[in-house]
Amino acid sequence: MNGHVSYSVLQPASEEEGNTQPAQNALKDVDGGALFVLESKGNWQHAGFHLTTSIATPAMLTLPFALRELGWFAGILALTLCAGVSFYAYTIISQVLEHSERRGHRFLRFRDLGAYILGPWGYYTIGAIQIVVCLGCVIGSCIIGGQSMKLIYGIYDPDCTRPLSEYIGFFGVIMLLLAQLPSFHSLRYINLASLIFCLGFALCVVGGCIYAGSSSQAPPKDYSVPGTPVSKLFGVFESLAIITTAFGNGIIPEIQATLAPPVANKMFKGLLVCYAVVMSTFFSVAISGYWAFGNQAAGYVLTNLAPKDGPALVPSWLIVLANTFILAQLIAVALVYSQPTFEIFEGRSSDVKQGKYSMRNLVPRFILRSSYVVFATFVSAALPFFGDINGVLGAFCFTPLDFVLPFLFYSATFGPSRHTSRFWIHWGIIVLFTLIGFLGCISSIRQIVLDAKYFKWFADLQ
């Protein structure tokens, strides 16, 4: 075992939920990141809140555009496939973690599990990919949150000339305050509110699309796939990457680490909560948006409801309400994806003997977390076109974490026989999603090249 890896060592856990003895003996030689940030105190409902916040994000508002590039049949098929495979992948990696716990090892971090199965290179590679994923999600949340703030303010004060960077700064200040919450577990009620906000903005968007699509101002409904053969091909790649990334998570072990041991079946219940929200929102938003706007569906469906170059197709209050829900949910999303980085910070800087709230640990925690938020906010303001870059990061990072490694880890742990259908299904998924990730990277890089002429430091994007 690699000497750099820290993980909790458990006595073999009882299958009985009522047996709490493992929880009392759980942490041995554990660092501050595991003890303070990944604080293992939650129940399955809390896991459901965390999972929903990490997956059911405003990224779903790009799904009508993905259907535009695929058409009805292929689009719905791709959505269904990604939903099923992602749920299955998250379930089996949870099973790998539970199996390890029963055998005396509770892995609290993705990189620890990677080191145990793949060796030292797994530890550092998975850790680096996770840091990139989490930082990208935080930056993306800051940008979209700033855009939502600007849009809301602009409706009430059309003459306002504040640049986007100022609104991103406001979002960063809110993040700076809430980032001081000490642990992942302390976000549980914020993430419950996030779940409600997710249902709220999805309902607003679906209602808005139905209203706009039924009105006399609705654009003609054309469901043919536009473009040249080459652009259509790259459009398919881009759409598959969008759908795959929308179901991305990348921090399943860290979320499972927040559960009080023994964790048997708790994650599965949390995933059921999460996917009840995911299935109801993702499919309703994708279908209603594509139905209303066809091949004119924009990359962000709210742009269709309130176009920049024409009158809004829905009442202003609906746009304000939807963006308010989005803004509030994005704060929770940014906080969730900050936790793995905060865990690394506190694993390196904290002294567990001094206690979570000692000055010895509070001061470095405040400095490191605040510096991270300031850095993410600055990058968001300076590079508001980061969404294009995030497309590459999503295809390159979410795909291995969510659609490749779970199946490799399952094979290494349980060793399914080559003569079983499960073995070939798993390898079929690995090959398919590796290809999707590779093609998505190519498509996203192509889009960056096409949009490069519009890139500008501190650009005042709408």
Side-chain angles (χ1 to χ4, degrees):
M1 192 64 193
N2 183 277
H4 294 284
V5 179
S6 296
Y7 59 91
S8 301
V9 180
L10 297 184
Q11 302 301 322
S14 165
E15 295 297 319
E16 297 295 327
E17 286 288 334
N19 186 349
T20 59
Q21 186 63 32
Q24 297 170 2
N25 299 322
L27 298 172
K28 295 181 180 179
D29 301 321
V30 74
D31 61 34
L35 187 62
F36 298 154
V37 180
L38 299 180
E39 191 178 26
S40 301
K41 295 172 61 176
N43 58 36
W44 65 267
Q45 294 102 321
H46 301 152
F49 305 156
H50 300 326
L51 287 163
T52 303
T53 299
S54 65
I55 299 174
T57 70
M60 73 175 75
L61 302 185
T62 62
L63 294 177
F65 174 82
L67 263 62
R68 184 188 90 169
E69 300 296 323
L70 294 171
W72 278 116
F73 177 77
I76 298 299
L77 180 62
L79 267 177
T80 304
L81 176 66
C82 283
V85 171
S86 62
F87 180 83
Y88 182 51
Y90 299 149
T91 300
I92 66 170
I93 197 168
S94 177
Q95 290 174 356
V96 169
L97 291 163
E98 288 184 15
H99 178 77
S100 299
E101 179 179 331
R102 287 194 293 270
R103 298 187 66 180
H105 302 285
R106 189 182 184 198
F107 296 104
L108 301 181
R109 293 162 283 223
F110 213 146
R111 62 187 185 274
D112 292 347
L113 181 60
Y116 185 76
I117 295 175
L118 302 175
W121 76 270
Y123 179 85
Y124 293 108
T125 302
I126 292 173
I129 292 174
Q130 266 197 320
I131 289 173
V132 170
V133 162
C134 292
L135 180 59
C137 289
V138 173
I139 292 172
S141 296
C142 290
I143 293 170
I144 300 173
Q147 290 172 333
S148 293
M149 277 189 186
K150 183 175 182 180
L151 191 150
I152 293 169
Y153 198 85
I155 287 176
Y156 292 106
D157 185 5
D159 298 325
C160 179
T161 58
R162 290 181 185 273
L164 175 61
S165 57
E166 290 191 20
Y167 294 97
I168 292 175
F170 297 152
F171 186 95
V173 169
I174 299 171
M175 266 287 295
L176 188 66
L177 297 173
L178 293 176
Q180 308 310 321
L181 291 170
S183 69
F184 211 145
H185 182 66
S186 64
L187 302 180
R188 61 195 182 280
Y189 296 120
I190 290 178
N191 289 339
L192 170 60
S194 168
L195 187 155
I196 297 169
F197 295 144
C198 171
L199 294 172
F201 76 70
L203 182 62
C204 290
V205 170
V206 171
C209 288
I210 294 172
Y211 179 90
S214 304
S215 71
S216 58
Q217 295 179 311
K221 293 181 175 60
D222 183 356
Y223 302 112
S224 61
V225 179
T228 64
V230 172
S231 66
K232 288 181 181 179
L233 181 62
F234 278 104
V236 169
F237 299 162
E238 182 179 9
S239 294
L240 292 175
I242 287 171
I243 294 172
T244 302
T245 303
F247 286 96
N249 177 281
I251 55 174
I252 289 291
E254 285 77 8
I255 291 176
Q256 186 154 327
T258 67
L259 291 170
V263 300
N265 297 320
K266 293 178 183 176
M267 254 319 248
F268 183 73
K269 293 177 182 177
L271 280 166
L272 290 178
V273 171
C274 171
Y275 271 76
V277 177
V278 166
M279 297 297 284
S280 60
T281 55
F282 278 38
F283 280 81
S284 60
V285 167
I287 291 170
S288 63
Y290 186 50
W291 169 81
F293 302 107
N295 61 18
Q296 295 185 44
Y300 194 62
V301 71
L302 283 178
T303 304
N304 288 114
L305 297 178
K308 303 179 184 114
D309 54 355
L313 301 180
V314 294
S316 296
W317 65 263
L318 185 64
I319 299 296
V320 171
L321 185 61
N323 276 279
T324 301
F325 285 141
I326 289 170
L327 175 61
Q329 208 242 358
L330 283 167
I331 293 170
V333 172
L335 289 171
V336 162
Y337 279 101
S338 296
Q339 298 309 305
T341 307
F342 293 166
E343 180 271 317
I344 293 173
F345 288 162
E346 296 189 33
R348 299 290 184 271
S349 67
S350 297
D351 181 353
V352 296
K353 297 177 183 178
Q354 297 292 321
K356 182 190 297 187
Y357 300 108
S358 66
M359 288 302 295
R360 162 64 182 79
N361 291 330
L362 280 175
V363 172
R365 178 187 304 157
F366 176 79
I367 293 172
L368 289 170
R369 292 187 178 202
S370 300
S371 299
Y372 180 78
V373 172
V374 169
F375 173 75
T377 304
F378 175 79
V379 173
S380 304
L383 305 173
F385 47 81
F386 193 82
D388 284 356
I389 301 172
N390 248 351
V392 177
L393 299 181
F396 181 74
C397 298
F398 274 122
T399 302
L401 291 178
D402 296 321
F403 298 100
V404 175
L405 289 177
F407 300 101
L408 292 177
F409 289 175
Y410 184 90
S411 294
T413 301
F414 296 103
S417 169
R418 292 173 179 268
H419 302 293
T420 62
S421 58
R422 172 169 285 187
F423 177 89
W424 294 105
I425 289 171
H426 285 189
W427 276 101
I429 292 172
I430 290 170
V431 172
L432 174 62
F433 281 89
T434 299
L435 181 62
I436 289 173
F438 176 73
L439 296 176
C441 276
I442 293 175
S443 178
S444 297
I445 291 170
R446 173 180 177 268
Q447 194 61 47
I448 289 175
V449 172
L450 294 175
D451 292 346
K453 58 186 175 183
Y454 302 111
F455 291 172
K456 180 182 176 183
W457 290 100
F458 297 96
D460 188 22
L461 302 181
Q462 298 298 318

